[in-house]
Amino acid sequence: MALYSYYKEDNSLRKKIINYFSYFFLIVGSFLLFWAFYPIISFEIYSQTFLSKDFKTPVIFNEINQSIKNGLVLGSFNVFSNNLSDFTNVNLWFPSIVKNKVNKDNFFVKQYFLSIPKLNIKDAVVLVGGDDLSKSLIHYLPKTMPGELGNVAIFGHSTLPQLYKPHDYKSIFTFLPSLQKGDKIFIKVEDVVYQYEVFEMFVVLPSEISVLNQKLDASYLTLITCVPPGTYWKRLVVKAKLIPFNFDDN
């Protein structure tokens, strides 16, 4: 049996270069993972810590179950579901109401404009009854128009904050979670401007469709986007209510 063994350390330039590259790629890989997942993790912490405490999700679960039984739910809403792959199509965001119940020709206004000063969104196009979120915001399943009694639901795309482009409709609602109670939203329909004030914000699952219900005691605006940022797992719902217009806020 050998009493001693000798190991010759490889100090060649080739070995050093390989070691340096290994450390470099390890650092870069760790940075990219942090870059991609930090917005998702931070939003989950924020929503669980603040939104779930400050706001109560107004979801009527028996309505959800009945909608599923009636076949109104589009897909399983599993993150691996094949029919949820293209989220520029607004019809994949929530359970779908039978399309022939909504006739866009009944509305005189085909599009209008949305502005949110806090998010630097100015005169973004809202298409009434459209379906392509890569080209505009969408007034989803229109039943009422801005200024009328009822609920106007507007959908907008979002992405990771690092990929945000202010004039790209595929990322326009990325910073929607930063809105707070009292923030103003402006809707311009032709020459008329309506002022809404945010009063509630919460997160729901895609199956929780009662957020789209009509409520006729006032004029409501509901802004919806996918969260956490860069995913389509849940929906952020921002509720606002029509208030008297203040020219100093515009």
Side-chain angles (χ1 to χ4, degrees):
M1 177 180 292
L3 297 178
Y4 302 99
S5 61
Y6 296 93
Y7 172 75
K8 184 178 181 181
E9 186 175 357
D10 186 358
N11 291 320
S12 64
L13 178 61
R14 177 176 175 273
K15 181 66 175 181
K16 291 181 179 180
I17 292 175
I18 292 175
N19 288 336
Y20 289 146
F21 270 98
S22 298
Y23 289 127
F24 172 77
F25 285 119
L26 179 62
I27 294 172
V28 170
S30 300
F31 172 79
L32 290 177
L33 285 174
F34 177 81
W35 180 83
F37 286 101
Y38 173 76
I40 299 174
I41 296 173
S42 62
F43 178 83
E44 282 294 288
I45 294 174
Y46 167 75
S47 63
Q48 294 296 326
T49 303
F50 296 101
L51 296 186
S52 59
K53 288 184 178 180
D54 293 342
F55 306 106
K56 182 178 179 181
T57 305
V59 177
I60 305 173
F61 288 96
N62 61 341
E63 292 183 4
I64 300 169
N65 294 333
Q66 187 62 42
S67 296
I68 295 174
K69 291 178 182 177
N70 292 340
L72 298 182
V73 176
L74 182 63
S76 63
F77 295 100
N78 185 296
V79 293
F80 301 108
S81 179
N82 291 331
N83 65 345
L84 300 180
S85 57
D86 182 10
F87 265 69
T88 57
N89 185 343
V90 72
N91 294 313
L92 300 180
W93 279 38
F94 270 98
S96 177
I97 297 175
V98 179
K99 292 183 179 180
N100 58 16
K101 290 185 179 180
V102 178
N103 187 353
K104 292 181 289 185
D105 294 333
N106 292 336
F107 293 90
F108 176 76
V109 176
K110 305 302 180 183
Q111 69 176 35
Y112 52 88
F113 302 93
L114 177 143
S115 297
I116 308 177
K118 184 174 182 178
L119 304 185
N120 294 319
I121 296 175
K122 183 174 177 60
D123 293 335
V125 176
V126 182
L127 190 62
V128 177
D131 55 22
D132 189 352
L133 289 165
S134 67
K135 297 180 180 179
S136 69
L137 298 172
I138 299 298
H139 181 158
Y140 186 63
L141 299 177
K143 293 184 178 180
T144 60
M145 294 300 295
E148 299 177 352
L149 295 179
N151 181 28
V152 172
I154 297 178
F155 285 28
H157 223 294
S158 61
T159 186
L160 289 171
Q162 305 92 315
L163 305 178
Y164 172 72
K165 297 179 181 179
H167 302 296
D168 188 348
Y169 283 102
K170 293 191 292 293
S171 64
I172 189 170
F173 272 0
T174 295
F175 293 102
L176 199 65
S178 65
L179 289 179
Q180 297 176 333
K181 287 183 179 180
D183 287 336
K184 301 299 189 297
I185 302 171
F186 299 93
I187 298 290
K188 182 179 180 181
V189 183
E190 297 182 336
D191 295 327
V192 180
V193 177
Y194 300 98
Q195 180 179 230
Y196 291 81
E197 183 176 272
V198 174
F199 69 91
E200 191 174 26
M201 181 164 58
F202 49 87
V203 175
V204 300
L205 295 174
S207 57
E208 297 175 356
I209 61 175
S210 67
V211 296
L212 303 175
N213 288 350
Q214 292 294 312
K215 189 177 180 182
L216 301 178
D217 63 329
S219 179
Y220 294 98
L221 179 66
T222 301
L223 305 184
I224 300 174
T225 194
C226 290
V227 290
T231 74
Y232 52 82
W233 302 338
K234 300 176 184 179
R235 306 289 174 263
L236 176 72
V237 180
V238 176
K239 302 286 291 186
K241 188 175 181 179
L242 184 67
I243 63 172
F245 191 83
N246 186 343
F247 286 94
D248 293 334
D249 291 332
N250 191 13

